[in-house]
């Protein structure tokens, strides 16, 4: 999942990942910042529980692995 931020708006945004399977568990890692984001259910990811903070014009790639 690629996350981009422009020059305006809040630095933190909730991320909705609608294509995951709600009954599965996913381990998430931010690849550019090398941060483990935790384990989430597919339903949590569909509901936008995950929030990412980025600097203006920042970007991040989130890797999802089925847990």
């Amino acid at each position: 999942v690629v996350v981009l931020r422009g020059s305006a708006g809040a630095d933190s945004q909730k991320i909705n990942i609608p294509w995951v399977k709600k009954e599965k568990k996913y381990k998430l890692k931010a690849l550019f910042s090398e941060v483990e984001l935790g384990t989430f259910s597919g339903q949590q990811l569909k509901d936008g529980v995950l929030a990412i903070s980025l600097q203006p014009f920042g970007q991040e790639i989130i890797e999802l692995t089925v847990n």
Side-chain angles (χ1 to χ4, degrees):
V1 174
V2 176
V3 182
L4 302 171
R5 179 180 177 204
S7 62
D11 64 342
S12 179
Q13 291 291 324
K14 291 186 177 189
I15 307 298
N16 171 294
I17 307 173
W19 49 263
V20 295
K21 296 186 183 214
K22 65 180 181 179
E23 67 278 356
K24 298 278 187 180
K25 295 279 186 185
Y26 296 88
K27 182 177 176 184
L28 278 63
K29 180 177 181 179
L31 297 180
F32 288 157
S33 59
E34 298 181 348
V35 173
E36 298 287 338
L37 299 172
T39 301
F40 298 87
S41 70
Q43 188 63 55
Q44 288 175 307
L45 296 173
K46 286 177 178 276
D47 291 342
V49 171
L50 175 65
I52 298 290
S53 293
L54 294 174
Q55 297 295 324
F57 299 110
Q59 56 187 338
E60 186 61 83
I61 295 177
I62 301 171
E63 174 183 65
L64 282 81
T65 306
V66 177
N67 198 14

